Amino acid sequence: YCFHDEVPETIEEYFHDFDGNCEECDIARKPDTSLALCPDPVCDGTTGNNAFAILVAGDCETDCTSTTCVDSYRTLRVEHDACVNHDVLSADAEKGIHNFEEVCQAFNCILSSKKVELTCNDDSSAGYHGITM
């Protein structure tokens, strides 16, 4: 529950290596209400991967200002953050999004403008393994 620049780069880089081992630990991205809302997620297994391919082919890692780069980054962002099934993105797209976070930061988006409150409880049968949202 942090902004990407608050997470140490090493953690950010290797987080997805462990992501599949803790699927019940689902914590939403911290909302930055100064950003535009993301498009609705599709979660179909191709939309996010296609967006990642467009980002790579379009050299968006160097310059993210084109409409194609902005739209593709926002699509990849929402597929990465909102799709419950983490298998909708390839491992390359799942990890590769982090290569675009700094250069595309000005064009980031949020899933929802509503504030998410995180509270912990002792009930391990809760939907998020002790975390309630």
Side-chain angles (χ1 to χ4, degrees):
Y1 193 72
C2 306
F3 293 124
H4 86 90
D5 58 349
E6 296 172 336
V7 178
E9 191 173 322
T10 303
I11 303 258
E12 199 172 84
E13 189 175 324
Y14 292 104
F15 170 80
H16 296 292
D17 291 343
F18 302 98
D19 197 24
N21 296 325
C22 192
E23 291 181 15
E24 67 277 357
C25 301
D26 189 19
I27 300 174
R29 180 175 288 280
K30 187 177 186 178
D32 180 347
T33 55
S34 69
L35 299 175
L37 286 174
C38 292
D40 290 333
V42 178
C43 305
D44 62 357
T46 58
T47 301
N49 292 322
N50 289 344
F52 178 69
I54 291 168
L55 286 166
V56 172
D59 197 31
C60 301
E61 194 172 348
T62 304
D63 180 5
C64 192
T65 57
S66 74
T67 302
T68 300
C69 291
V70 170
D71 291 346
S72 297
Y73 179 73
R74 288 179 174 167
T75 297
L76 180 57
R77 166 61 53 210
V78 75
E79 295 291 302
H80 179 274
D81 291 354
C83 296
V84 177
N85 179 359
H86 293 285
D87 293 337
V88 299
L89 291 178
S90 68
D92 288 342
E94 184 83 30
K95 291 181 180 181
I97 188 173
H98 303 297
N99 297 335
F100 298 94
E101 286 177 330
E102 276 191 44
V103 70
C104 296
Q105 185 170 347
F107 309 105
N108 212 346
C109 59
I110 57 171
L111 302 177
S112 170
S113 58
K114 110 178 167 178
K115 186 175 181 182
V116 177
E117 295 292 334
L118 298 178
T119 56
C120 297
N121 62 50
D122 293 330
D123 182 6
S124 63
S125 66
Y128 292 99
H129 209 21
I131 298 173
T132 318
M133 291 199 262

